[in-house]
Amino acid sequence: MRQALVFVVMVAVVFRGAEGRADEATRPEVRLQPAQTAYDRAKALYEAGKYADAIAQGEMALREAVLGGRKPQLAERLDWLGVLYGLQGDYARAEPLLQRGLELRETVLGPNHPDVAQTLNHLANLYRGRGMYGRAEPLYSRAIAIQEAALGPNHPDVAQTLNSLARFYAEQGLYGRAEPLYERALDIVEAALGKAHPDVAMVLTSRAQLYAAQGLYDQARPLYERALVIVEAALGKNHPDVATSLNNLATFCLSQGEYARAGALSERALAIEEAVLGKDDSRLAISLNNLALAYAGQGLLSRAEPLYERALAIRQAALGRNHPSVAELLHNFALLRLAQHRRADALPLLMRAFAIPELLLRRKTLSFSESRLARFLEQLRADEDLLYALLRMQLDNPDVQRAALAAVLLRKGRSLEETAEISRAVYRSLSAQDRRAFEQLRSVRTQLATLSFQGDGSLSPRDYQRRLQELATQGDALEADLATRSASLRALTTLPPPEDMVDRVAAALPRDSALVEFVAYTDRALQRKSGAPSERLPGQLRYMALVLSDSGATCVSDLGSTEPIDRVASLLRSALARRDKEYLAPAQTLYRLVFQPLLMCLGDTHHVFLSPEGQLGLVPFATLHDGQQFLVDTYDFTYLTSGKDLLPRTQQIEPSSSVVVLADPDWSALPQASAETLEEAPELAERAPSLDQLFSTLRTNLSHRPWAPLPGSRKEAQAIQHMFPQAQLYLGPEATKERLLHVSAPGVLHIATHGFFLDETSPPEDSRAAVNFGGLGDDVLAPRPPDPLLRSGLVLAGAQAPAPEDSGAASHSLDSALVTALELAGLNLWGTQLVVLSACDTGRGDVRLGQGVYGLRRAFVAAGAETVVMSLWEVNDETTRELMEAYYRNLLAGQGRASALREAMRALRLTQPHPHYWAPFIALGQETPLRALAPGSSELPKR
């Protein structure tokens, strides 16, 4: 069974009263006494697992505290009752109680009291359960800091909060962050409470879930089993916590296909809960879901159906119709419907399962960094994949077509879109404080890029990796903070609802054009004949193409397994990059595999907006050959990250009239390192006696590279200035990284230099490529920076500068020559109509299914560029000049930004017939002609 989107709060929250939290060996049965206060009775009922009755007594206890007027008791009861409501999924009541309790405890006890930390942890758990991750993480961090200072680093309360924070990370797929927290929490509770305490079982279960999520099943199983033994011994065999432990083990058994054992465990858990909690308690939904899955796995489909219906009714009553755990039930119920061959009944369940996390995504309180948002989106793929699999079963069903296309349009490239919206909000409307935060983020990215290319220098490998991780974590935190700050502004750019998405995109298509959305998905549906979970089934990765016409008509083509398509696509790109004479065979094969099946869908349409996927994003469709001619002769292609890019941007920014060109950098120039960068990064400057000493290692390495001059790029720049007299040129020693990073939204930005995407072989001498350099050394097998945005970039003036005579000075550094995609993502290009990357491999990057190509193309789109023209292999200096001059002439003639490129390609083909020369560039983004570029001054700062 797939992982729940968010760990259910009613299971996740572990609460004890303020007194006696740490030293209880067990939770004994408590007999209610008439003389007890309402609060005592509420706690006793809670310990017995009777949560509904405990809430009633808790409300009475709260009224007693209000009448008594004693603020410490009132704060304690507010916190306790808030947790109980959270256990029941009643967040609307829980949150204000916890917030008021926090305010009182801070006022009465001071901001650094352990009880304040307890409420912070409870409130963070509540936000985590609601998917409000941006609010949860700082509360966890503050709670841990308070507890460690007040109680010591080895107190059980510290372990409880560490466990909660580890779950927070694990739910987002950040397993590397979660595991050391779990290890520390387990060490603490075993040392403080003994190995048989229920809190040990809690941490063991959390750690087992982490292992299971990573496929480490042999490590997970003994932890689940040990946790069950502990809670049975400590609490008795009929306690609700035992039912929870039984369900955890049952879930694991389901993932292993052990349906009979899972069923027995779930039946026992359900019997305990019904006896102790009643038949309508919200926790029963977990047992019912597990039991239904166990029945389905054994082929007992009719027995599973009423269990799902009952579980849905219980969970929706407790948590509402739009809770993430409701989506999980809907997904499983849809699988059952498919196994029953009731496909029409499966579709509405799948659409609801898809819509619920979509609502979560649109909450601007979901404040993630870009990398964490991408991981979160990956966790949502199960519902999308099932929709695409259902479509494969019913290719001609228009309802399923529209549902699947809506899913593609909404989710494809979503992390890039959210990142771009944060950038737009920062540059358009936020305060000076927010601008400073963004500049701090840019500085951290520059430090990370610099350190990545330096290598470890004087640091040990372990310290080097630790420092890289520190900078990456700091960048993530700054991104998340900016996401939170910009939430109100980003709310103005809300996407259309799922049911309107297809029609809105169709309306945005130009007349007589069509959109082709390629999607790769894992199809396990045909193997789920029982409706059982299938994480261990390998499935098959397949391509599908969904076509949308300007009339709103939809059409679908199942293209089959990704493996042969990706293989041919790679062969074609490689043949084109090498100027191989035998390129025609893969060009024709790829045509037959991916384009010929679309002809019936496209009809007479020859203007095609392509949103590719996987390796298809790294080949120019213009070079596909139908046996008679290239597609460039019959089709006009414009590339998109997603079809939703066609929707008009809200608050359209008027373009600048300036044209900025950086070209023909002087490799031997000695650009000054940015003083601002060093001032903002004192920790980097302090970590070694001399930055220059570290950079000299890189210069020595780079000096062995054949840095070819680029006279064609200078002619290219001069030709652009001739056509656009207002263009400001930065050539030779002026084509610097510092100038580029301080550009501010020119109308057109043209960069003609060397480009790089690491993990390439040596480029031809006359190309605009640079690879295998810097701290990475000469070894092509040496490890590369893990972030693909650090492995893509441009090379500017000073890349081959000699080491300065005064080796003690830190004013000359290689970071003044190499600019990575990670740094370029921080540019302000909101209002920039066109960015042309006239260099090698500027369209290359790491392919991530569903989220596009991570490299320079992603960076410039995130920075706000409307259209990016980029290359897919190493380009020749002279022929690129010819192509670019023709391209700008076509733009001046009023042609669209993609069609102008197509006509330039066709013209160059007359003299250079091999597509290596005429087809390396693609245009990503808007196709419309450039809006007027009247003469005006550049917005680059003067030096």
Side-chain angles (χ1 to χ4, degrees):
M1 185 179 67
R2 70 191 181 117
Q3 289 285 320
L5 300 181
V6 183
F7 195 87
V8 181
V9 173
M10 54 192 166
V11 177
V13 176
V14 177
F15 175 79
R16 296 191 182 84
E19 50 292 323
R21 291 193 298 272
D23 54 0
E24 291 180 285
T26 63
R27 297 188 197 176
E29 290 291 331
V30 178
R31 299 182 181 276
L32 302 184
Q33 302 294 330
Q36 288 179 315
T37 65
Y39 184 49
D40 291 332
R41 291 193 295 273
K43 289 194 295 181
L45 289 164
Y46 166 79
E47 293 294 337
K50 299 181 182 294
Y51 296 156
D53 293 336
I55 284 178
Q57 289 294 319
E59 291 279 11
M60 188 180 299
L62 183 60
R63 289 193 291 271
E64 289 177 353
V66 171
L67 292 174
R70 299 185 64 184
K71 291 184 178 180
Q73 286 80 1
L74 177 59
E76 181 183 14
R77 284 149 180 75
L78 285 165
D79 180 85
W80 196 84
L81 188 58
V83 169
L84 281 185
Y85 276 124
L87 286 169
Q88 294 298 102
D90 192 344
Y91 303 138
R93 293 187 182 183
E95 183 177 1
L97 291 171
L98 289 170
Q99 287 178 334
R100 179 61 180 146
L102 178 62
E103 292 171 2
L104 274 176
R105 279 184 160 170
E106 288 179 323
T107 301
V108 174
L109 304 174
N112 297 316
H113 193 277
D115 287 352
V116 171
Q118 182 189 52
T119 306
L120 288 168
N121 187 25
H122 294 158
L123 190 56
N125 283 334
L126 184 78
Y127 286 142
R128 188 182 86 233
R130 296 178 64 184
M132 302 168 72
Y133 299 108
R135 294 191 187 184
E137 187 169 15
L139 299 183
Y140 285 130
S141 299
R142 185 183 164 203
I144 291 170
I146 292 172
Q147 290 168 334
E148 288 181 331
L151 305 174
N154 297 318
H155 193 278
D157 285 5
V158 175
Q160 179 181 325
T161 311
L162 288 170
N163 190 69
S164 297
L165 180 58
R167 281 176 176 160
F168 171 84
Y169 287 136
E171 288 161 8
Q172 300 166 55
L174 301 171
Y175 304 129
R177 295 192 190 185
E179 184 160 12
L181 298 177
Y182 282 138
E183 289 178 356
R184 184 181 165 202
L186 184 61
D187 288 343
I188 291 172
V189 292
E190 286 186 333
L193 306 176
K195 294 189 176 183
H197 194 277
D199 280 9
V200 173
M202 173 190 69
V203 181
L204 288 171
T205 298
S206 299
R207 196 169 180 185
Q209 290 166 337
L210 178 73
Y211 287 144
Q214 298 175 84
L216 304 173
Y217 302 115
D218 291 341
Q219 293 175 251
R221 185 188 296 273
L223 300 184
Y224 280 120
E225 292 175 340
R226 182 184 164 198
L228 177 59
V229 170
I230 289 173
V231 293
E232 283 183 324
L235 306 176
K237 292 184 178 296
N238 295 315
H239 193 280
D241 286 3
V242 173
T244 298
S245 193
L246 288 165
N247 272 319
N248 289 330
L249 182 55
T251 300
F252 175 79
C253 290
L254 287 168
S255 73
Q256 305 303 292
E258 300 170 8
Y259 302 121
R261 187 184 183 197
L265 293 167
S266 302
E267 285 178 339
R268 185 183 161 202
L270 183 62
I272 293 171
E273 291 167 339
E274 288 183 331
V276 177
L277 306 174
K279 294 185 180 294
D280 296 321
D281 190 273
S282 60
R283 282 160 292 175
L284 269 67
I286 298 173
S287 300
L288 291 165
N289 178 61
N290 283 346
L291 187 54
L293 287 166
Y295 283 151
Q298 298 172 78
L300 305 172
L301 305 186
S302 61
R303 297 181 68 178
E305 183 173 348
L307 297 177
Y308 279 131
E309 291 173 343
R310 184 181 169 197
L312 269 174
I314 288 173
R315 189 162 280 179
Q316 289 178 159
L319 306 178
R321 291 176 57 82
N322 294 321
H323 193 276
S325 59
V326 173
E328 182 186 17
L329 273 177
L330 291 165
H331 177 94
N332 293 338
F333 201 177
L335 281 177
L336 181 69
R337 291 300 193 215
L338 290 177
Q340 295 172 319
H341 305 290
R342 297 169 61 178
R343 295 170 182 172
D345 294 330
L347 180 59
L349 295 172
L350 282 175
M351 287 306 296
R352 276 196 63 201
F354 176 85
I356 289 172
E358 180 63 27
L359 290 174
L360 187 65
L361 280 170
R362 295 184 187 211
R363 291 179 187 165
K364 296 310 177 184
T365 48
L366 188 66
S367 301
F368 283 154
S369 67
E370 193 277 338
S371 62
R372 286 169 66 177
L373 178 59
R375 290 190 185 98
F376 183 77
L377 288 164
E378 182 60 32
Q379 292 185 331
L380 304 183
R381 291 277 302 200
D383 292 318
E384 294 173 65
D385 282 354
L386 196 51
L387 265 175
Y388 307 142
L390 178 60
L391 177 57
R392 184 186 169 205
M393 299 175 189
Q394 306 178 76
L395 287 175
D396 295 328
N397 186 320
D399 293 333
V400 184
Q401 288 179 2
R402 291 178 67 83
L405 184 54
V408 179
L409 292 170
L410 283 166
R411 295 288 172 78
K412 198 174 184 182
R414 188 66 168 273
S415 62
L416 174 57
E417 176 192 23
E418 294 291 338
T419 301
E421 284 300 324
I422 293 170
S423 168
R424 185 190 64 82
V426 167
Y427 280 119
R428 287 284 290 168
S429 305
L430 294 188
S431 66
Q433 179 183 0
D434 299 313
R435 294 284 182 87
R436 285 193 296 272
F438 199 76
E439 287 302 314
Q440 187 180 0
L441 174 60
R442 292 179 63 174
S443 173
V444 168
R445 286 172 169 172
T446 296
Q447 295 175 56
L448 185 58
T450 298
L451 191 60
S452 296
F453 285 111
Q454 285 176 355
D456 49 26
S458 61
L459 295 173
S460 68
R462 186 172 185 175
D463 287 343
Y464 175 67
Q465 293 300 325
R466 179 186 58 79
R467 180 61 185 144
L468 287 174
Q469 182 59 51
E470 287 175 354
L471 287 170
T473 301
Q474 187 179 353
D476 271 2
L478 286 166
E479 285 185 57
D481 181 56
L482 284 166
T484 302
R485 293 173 184 271
S486 64
S488 59
L489 293 172
R490 288 185 290 125
L492 302 175
T493 63
T494 302
L495 288 166
E499 60 271 20
D500 294 343
M501 193 69 185
V502 174
D503 289 335
R504 294 280 288 275
V505 172
L509 279 167
R511 187 175 178 181
D512 297 326
S513 69
L515 166 69
V516 178
E517 285 279 6
F518 291 97
V519 62
Y521 69 103
T522 302
D523 184 6
R524 296 190 182 98
L526 296 181
Q527 303 177 57
R528 291 168 165 156
K529 296 185 180 184
S530 65
S534 55
E535 272 76 0
R536 302 197 76 185
L537 296 174
Q540 183 184 43
L541 195 62
R542 300 178 66 87
Y543 277 129
M544 182 178 289
L546 298 92
V547 181
L548 176 66
S549 72
D550 60 326
S551 67
T554 57
C555 183
V556 178
S557 180
D558 178 34
L559 302 179
S561 171
T562 60
E563 192 277 329
I565 294 174
D566 284 347
R567 184 176 66 251
V568 174
S570 296
L571 285 173
L572 176 59
R573 199 205 71 83
S574 180
L576 297 178
R578 296 195 313 263
R579 291 171 280 190
D580 194 330
K581 295 180 180 179
E582 304 301 324
Y583 67 85
L584 203 56
Q588 292 176 341
T589 302
L590 193 59
Y591 170 82
R592 289 194 301 270
L593 290 175
V594 302
F595 202 81
Q596 191 173 40
L598 305 181
L599 296 181
M600 185 176 295
C601 293
L602 292 174
D604 296 331
T605 300
H606 294 279
H607 184 187
V608 180
F609 289 87
L610 285 174
S611 175
E613 178 75 292
Q615 293 300 315
L616 295 177
L618 299 177
V619 292
F621 273 62
T623 63
L624 272 57
H625 199 281
D626 65 5
Q628 302 296 323
Q629 57 189 349
F630 291 105
L631 293 189
V632 71
D633 294 318
T634 51
Y635 288 91
D636 196 353
F637 294 115
T638 303
Y639 290 78
L640 302 170
T641 302
S642 162
K644 64 178 170 290
D645 296 345
L646 291 165
L647 297 175
R649 289 182 173 180
T650 55
Q651 301 177 330
Q652 183 70 46
I653 301 171
E654 286 301 315
S656 162
S657 62
S658 63
V659 176
V660 173
V661 181
L662 285 84
D664 191 24
D666 183 351
W667 312 125
S668 62
L670 289 172
Q672 296 293 311
S674 169
E676 178 185 15
T677 299
L678 295 181
E679 289 171 4
E680 292 176 357
E683 67 275 19
L684 182 63
E686 291 171 1
R687 73 174 190 83
S690 168
L691 279 175
D692 197 71
Q693 179 181 353
L694 296 176
F695 288 126
S696 66
T697 302
L698 283 170
R699 286 198 192 88
T700 300
N701 204 333
L702 282 168
S703 67
H704 299 147
R705 299 294 172 195
W707 291 86
L710 299 175
S713 71
R714 179 175 289 263
K715 295 176 183 177
E716 188 176 303
Q718 292 167 341
I720 292 172
Q721 189 176 52
H722 179 75
M723 289 181 272
F724 297 90
Q726 78 272 26
Q728 187 160 354
L729 271 53
Y730 292 91
L731 308 175
E734 292 188 316
T736 64
K737 172 179 177 177
E738 186 175 3
R739 286 194 182 277
L740 178 56
L741 290 183
H742 286 83
V743 71
S744 181
V748 173
L749 174 62
H750 185 98
I751 307 170
T753 182
H754 285 302
F756 66 86
F757 173 67
L758 295 186
D759 291 332
E760 287 285 288
T761 55
S762 297
E765 290 186 2
D766 61 350
S767 72
R768 301 182 185 182
V771 293
N772 299 334
F773 54 86
L776 303 175
D778 295 327
D779 183 5
V780 296
L781 299 179
R784 269 55 174 144
D787 188 340
L789 298 186
L790 286 171
R791 290 187 274 111
S792 306
L794 301 168
V795 188
L796 295 166
Q800 215 170 19
E805 294 181 5
D806 181 6
S807 61
S811 60
H812 303 296
S813 61
L814 192 63
D815 72 330
S816 296
L818 305 178
V819 57
T820 65
L822 186 66
E823 297 166 275
L824 292 166
L827 289 176
N828 175 17
L829 299 180
W830 295 96
T832 297
Q833 299 181 68
L834 177 65
V835 171
V836 177
L837 302 176
S838 184
C840 292
D841 287 322
T842 51
R844 297 287 307 285
D846 278 6
V847 173
R848 296 187 179 176
L849 296 184
Q851 299 305 320
V853 179
Y854 279 62
L856 282 169
R857 67 167 78 182
R858 187 178 187 85
F860 281 98
V861 172
E866 294 179 6
T867 303
V868 181
V869 171
M870 55 201 168
S871 63
L872 296 174
W873 54 78
E874 292 100 4
V875 298
N876 178 272
D877 186 39
E878 182 59 27
T879 56
T880 297
R881 177 192 65 77
E882 295 179 37
L883 181 71
M884 288 300 162
E885 289 184 20
Y887 178 52
Y888 279 96
R889 284 196 299 270
N890 295 339
L891 289 172
L892 271 180
Q895 295 182 21
R897 287 169 245 186
S899 56
L901 180 62
R902 175 200 179 203
E903 293 307 313
M905 292 161 59
R906 294 179 69 181
L908 182 60
R909 203 175 103 201
L910 297 176
T911 58
Q912 297 288 347
H914 198 293
H916 169 85
Y917 297 102
W918 59 261
F921 289 91
I922 62 172
L924 176 78
Q926 294 190 21
E927 154 62 2
T928 54
L930 292 178
R931 302 187 288 282
L933 286 173
S937 61
S938 170
E939 297 183 18
L940 269 174
K942 301 295 188 293
R943 288 189 64 184

